[in-house]
């Protein structure tokens, strides 16, 4: 749900072992401190006995500052209940880095959304292992940083990581970035690196999925956005979309038609992330949206 | 979500003016009485200041009987907060009547689901204005009642209504029933009569929508399930589905392909209703599922 | 396209090496013999230099009987051009056997289509390795044959094969038949055995795909209909469909929702086959429809 | 199907009264003149007795120049058979004008496709009734022409029309252009002006369809691309797409999610037009693709 921007909102994401009284305690806590709940979605995975919750409230009359909230909520509820939790405020604008290689369609799509103000996000940098898309970045007034990726990836990733930290990056988007990140980078951004893969995973992982799809003669092709983990194309899936294809579609057609899926599925994943709608547990996502 | 059957569950549906503390009060009430919340979905329509909530709990250790719940919940919460609410128990099996005319595909689909135990529902009667589908009913051991619909509909509807009451019918499903119900019947079953219309409403209301779709040259056709209100094909929409079509599809093809949509969309609406996932406000549905 | 039944139609399917003048020769041949072409679809796979064509004509004034057509067309065109081809007449009603195990939803769906006359097909027998669905067959007046499948499958398959031949079966439909056919059976019915697999292949082949889909946390589930080859779940794909799912969908939900996909995708494959719209080459289908 | 660019191709579109021998004559004509048919799709609308055909051939060894083709084909076939027909060559790059107002998403999407070379088209001008998108045009090096639309539209449309002719425009794309064209303009570009409407027509024509969709409580929203005729939002439909929505989607959400549909459906219509895959008859399209 799109919230109106003129309201100060807080969003709390909770993941904990299931136990009685969780919704009551949390909603009571928010209510007592002057927050009016706008949206609450909660789910219990009974086979795993896990509790997931997302709650958003109008915080214009909320009586706790962020630091106070942290202390009080941790003390009163989170620690006793053994919760993992995150608090987000609509007043804080997240910072996103975009990694690209040579293909531009996902980058164009993201920049178009930035230009129309669709997302509440800052993009201080576009990173690439090639120079090709530098003019696009320049045209939009965004810093472009090119890193030569050497054979062991390490030295450049160290610089990339330093850049991410210097720029206080919250979220990294791999917009058809054709390099595999090292575990070092991935571990620094757990569930904060989004990749787009051009197949309906787990079918056709790895390279050249449109060729494989054509070879297999599938009647649908797809795209998958997921958080990056150290296992290639195996991270928690955020969104997937497909389109029907036919024997008339050559590999070039699949590639062309797939680009539209990639743009769509990547942008929807970014949206969910920026709206703080995603919880990850056991390599699966819970998406409250 | 499919709940396991071996657990006693209660489901509470709430619609009320929005106001602070609602989630906290209700969840606290359930918790205090020994209910462990399994699923809570809540939504505020801010433009209308309306609060919608569905909560399901494991009631195996709940300490209130139904009548006690009614009294206590009404007194403590519902009346002070000006709530409309419904309580459902998984132990009560709803009773559904199916109305048909001559076309059998939706009926066959429903009977197939009954046979495989997909739905927790009793079907004591199939009602029709024609004799054609009597053998189908008989084959499945379900009573078949034929009513001649006279020109003013009234006398027969009176008998139909009496039958519905005799049989303690909770839900009426119009499975391609080609008669328009009178307000008298509709008023007795508010938001408890589900119809399937063979177009993506509001396009092509009324009769012969596949002919109209062909004439207009649309590239998608659809089906819509909705609660019946006194305005034809204008009740609250529960579900819709579409399929892509092409110039090669004649009216006969649209009719054939549309049947698959009708079966799907009607069965999904019945599922939502039987799972108590639907709230209606202002001629729109909120579906928590 | 649904053809009207009151017209005698012939359908010719052609697969050959690509070469100039193929469409001209074939269409000229049909025209010269009094056939009025109603629908012609043609496709060249340029990477493989293969030519595919389907042509349907009104044969009410066609001046060649079937045997004459065979001789003349082979002599004049097919042999010189090195074509594979099949001729089908709307006057011949294909004969289909349905193989089932215990799950009934696909069988119910097929029987419902037979009852409404959606398909032009005879079903002389339902075959099973279990007795469970015998009452369903009996209710519809169709012979039910149960075969105990022993450990090596062979003795019973020999009997099944004999039955198929006795009954002049053209098409075998595996409607959630939980046995793997031996190459012996498969070789006798090349591209004439249709299976439904409950995943979007090539993802999740083999058993328990809904469990695997849940475990992987996919956001879409699917079903695939394909011709059976000796490699499990790897035959030419005829049709696929998917539906979006969420974290709330348990394995039981995926199974329930998947059933609707299975019914749809299997019935669409049968439709394409009965309409003679499918050509197979190199383990892929070309579907003219 | 995407044709490889290194081959000279000709595409012929034919619309005529149905009569025997059409496919044979046309394919024979192409074959005799050295054309190797790559793709032929043909369809007879039997209820209207109309014949539609699209045929593409490798013209690298074709022995007729364009003017000769015109004369010979007209004389030998088209005139005797009373055909309407169009011949297109892959060597000729069509010229497209884009009309916009203030909303930029469709324009951005089109420009992104131009930049990646997805389409074989020239865009010499972007036309608008507002100055807002001039910077976007300038950034891509495309001439931007602003026309104040006065109350009767006429004087400016005269200038627009003159500009279209000066620039030899073949196709006009209304990329969320918020003005209604006069019949004068429309008549000069029959079936050569493509509009995107933000609903699944015929539902919600006119202005503010997302508001109407929200008000009606539909569970799907859509977008429709169509050729512009003098009747508002009633021209021949080229493509449609929909997405499922829920009660949580506010009008702002529908608008946001609908933008993705608009981009997709408009670009697919442009693709079909540029590939010469569209025939129009009786306010409906036949799309061979």
């Amino acid at each position: 749900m799109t919230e109106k921007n003129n309201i100060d909102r807080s969003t709390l994401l909770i993941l904990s072992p299931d136990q009685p009284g969780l919704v009551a305690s949390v909603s009571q806590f928010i209510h007592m401190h002057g927050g009016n709940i706008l949206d609450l979605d909660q789910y219990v995975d009974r086979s795993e006995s896990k509790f997931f919750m997302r709650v958003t409230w109008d915080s214009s009359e909320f009586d706790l500052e962020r630091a106070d909230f942290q202390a009080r909520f941790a003390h009163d509820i989170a620690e006793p209940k053994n919760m993992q939790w995150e608090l987000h405020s609509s007043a804080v604008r997240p910072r996103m880095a975009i990694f690209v290689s040579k293909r531009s369609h996902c980058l164009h799509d993201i920049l178009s959304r930035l230009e129309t103000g669709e997302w509440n996000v800052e993009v201080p940098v576009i990173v690439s292992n090639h120079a090709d898309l530098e003019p696009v970045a320049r045209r939009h007034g965004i810093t472009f940083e090119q890193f030569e990726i050497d054979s062991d990836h390490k030295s450049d990733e160290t610089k990339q990581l330093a850049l991410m930290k210097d720029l206080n990056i919250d979220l990294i988007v791999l917009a058809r970035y054709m390099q595999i990140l090292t575990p070092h980078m991935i571990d620094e951004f757990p569930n904060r690196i989004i990749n787009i893969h051009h197949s309906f995973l787990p079918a056709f992982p790895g390279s050249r999925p449109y060729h494989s799809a054509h070879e297999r003669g599938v009647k649908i092709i797809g795209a998958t956005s997921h958080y990056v983990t150290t296992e290639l194309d195996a991270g928690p899936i955020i969104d997937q979309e497909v389109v029907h294809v036919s024997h008339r579609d050559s590999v070039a057609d699949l590639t062309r038609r797939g680009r539209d899926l990639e743009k769509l599925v990547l942008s929807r994943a970014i949206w969910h992330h920026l709206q703080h709608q995603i919880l990850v547990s056991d390599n699966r996502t819970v998406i409250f949206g």
Side-chain angles (χ1 to χ4, degrees), chain A residues 33-95:
Chain A
H33 290 285
N36 186 26
I37 293 177
L38 301 173
D39 201 318
L40 186 153
D41 206 341
Q42 173 269 346
Y43 160 73
V44 173
D45 180 340
R46 294 177 58 203
S47 61
E48 308 272 338
S49 280
K50 279 185 190 156
F51 173 93
F52 301 84
M53 181 167 151
R54 178 185 186 266
V55 55
T56 296
W57 63 93
D58 176 348
S59 50
S60 52
E61 302 189 24
F62 202 59
D63 65 12
L64 292 176
E65 293 300 311
R66 185 176 183 85
D68 293 337
F69 181 97
Q70 306 243 20
R72 294 284 288 276
F73 186 74
H75 177 269
D76 294 3
I77 298 181
E79 284 166 13
K81 306 280 193 192
N82 197 20
M83 281 179 180
Q84 297 170 255
W85 59 285
E86 294 172 30
L87 178 68
H88 299 280
S89 160
S90 62
V92 177
R93 202 169 158 87
R95 295 168 66 80

Side-chain angles (χ1 to χ4, degrees), chain A residues 86-284:
Chain A
E86 294 172 30
L87 178 68
H88 299 280
S89 160
S90 62
V92 177
R93 202 169 158 87
R95 295 168 66 80
M96 176 169 101
I98 307 170
F99 281 45
V100 296
S101 290
K102 295 182 169 183
R103 286 174 215 276
S104 63
H105 56 284
C106 286
L107 177 61
H108 280 301
D109 190 67
I110 290 170
L111 294 174
S112 150
R113 291 169 201 273
L114 295 177
E115 192 151 327
T116 56
E118 183 172 309
W119 295 336
N120 179 39
V121 71
E122 291 290 328
V123 177
V125 70
I126 294 169
V127 169
S128 186
N129 56 331
H130 293 283
D132 305 53
L133 299 180
E134 181 162 14
V136 178
R138 194 183 307 126
R139 220 158 60 191
H140 285 80
I142 300 176
T143 304
F144 183 89
E145 296 284 352
Q146 188 184 344
F147 293 86
E148 294 297 327
I149 300 296
D150 58 13
S151 57
D152 69 354
H153 286 224
K154 293 212 181 103
S155 59
D156 271 300
E157 268 210 355
T158 304
K159 290 181 213 157
Q160 285 178 355
L161 192 48
L163 179 67
M164 296 300 103
K165 295 196 166 181
D166 281 356
L167 294 172
N168 291 312
I169 295 301
D170 299 299
L171 172 66
I172 296 174
V173 170
L174 308 186
R176 296 299 308 273
Y177 179 64
M178 307 304 276
Q179 293 294 323
I180 296 172
L181 302 181
T182 66
H184 184 53
M185 187 81 167
I186 294 167
D187 290 347
E188 291 281 335
F189 288 89
N191 299 328
R192 293 197 288 140
I193 307 175
I194 296 176
N195 185 44
I196 178 72
H197 181 75
H198 39 316
S199 80
F200 51 94
L201 291 173
F204 312 125
S207 64
R208 296 167 67 86
Y210 294 128
H211 287 78
S212 305
H214 189 261
E215 171 76 17
R216 180 61 187 93
V218 292
K219 299 300 183 187
I220 53 174
I221 58 167
T224 304
S225 51
H226 62 94
Y227 286 124
V228 174
T229 59
T230 51
E231 190 180 343
L232 183 66
D233 297 333
I237 293 173
I238 303 170
D239 199 8
Q240 300 188 286
E241 194 54 86
V242 300
V243 69
H244 283 263
V245 297
S246 84
H247 60 272
R248 289 189 190 265
D249 290 299
S250 64
V251 172
D253 290 307
L254 300 185
T255 304
R256 172 178 56 81
R257 301 184 64 189
R259 283 197 296 262
D260 285 331
L261 294 177
E262 296 164 31
K263 287 152 56 175
L264 197 64
V265 168
L266 178 56
S267 75
R268 294 199 308 218
I270 295 170
W271 171 263
H272 287 308
H273 186 98
L274 295 177
Q275 296 291 106
H276 315 299
Q277 295 174 335
I278 312 180
L279 278 162
V280 176
S281 170
D282 205 20
N283 208 45
R284 291 198 293 260

